[in-house]
Amino acid sequence: NPLVGATVQLTDGSSYNESILTGAGGQAFFNTSTGGAYTITITSIGYLPITGPVTINGNNEYKTQLSNL
């Protein structure tokens, strides 16, 4: 089942840092015009947080699954 309302943060460690909430489909969309290395963090109440590296270069799609606490 999609997780609605999870916080998804995307940062490049310097100038780009954006946080948004997942929508009805459990998805989050970021408008980054610069490709490169980013760190993604996903948090939601009742779930273990996920943090990891992601490389953006075009239409990247990053899928993951959160685990209950």
Side-chain angles (χ1 to χ4, degrees), residues 6 12 18 20 22 24 27 34 36-37 41-42 48 50 65:
D12 68 0
E18 185 177 1
I20 56 178
T22 56
Q27 298 173 322
T34 306
T41 302
I42 305 167
L48 295 172
I50 293 175
Q65 200 166 355

Side-chain angles (χ1 to χ4, degrees), residues 10-11 36-41 50-56 60 62:
L10 189 67
T11 182
Y38 291 83
T39 299
I40 190 167
T41 302
I50 293 175
T51 298
V54 62
T55 301
I56 305 293
N60 285 28
Y62 180 84

Side-chain angles (χ1 to χ4, degrees), residues 7 9 32 34 47-48:
T7 300
Q9 179 187 30
T32 62
T34 306
Y47 294 87
L48 295 172

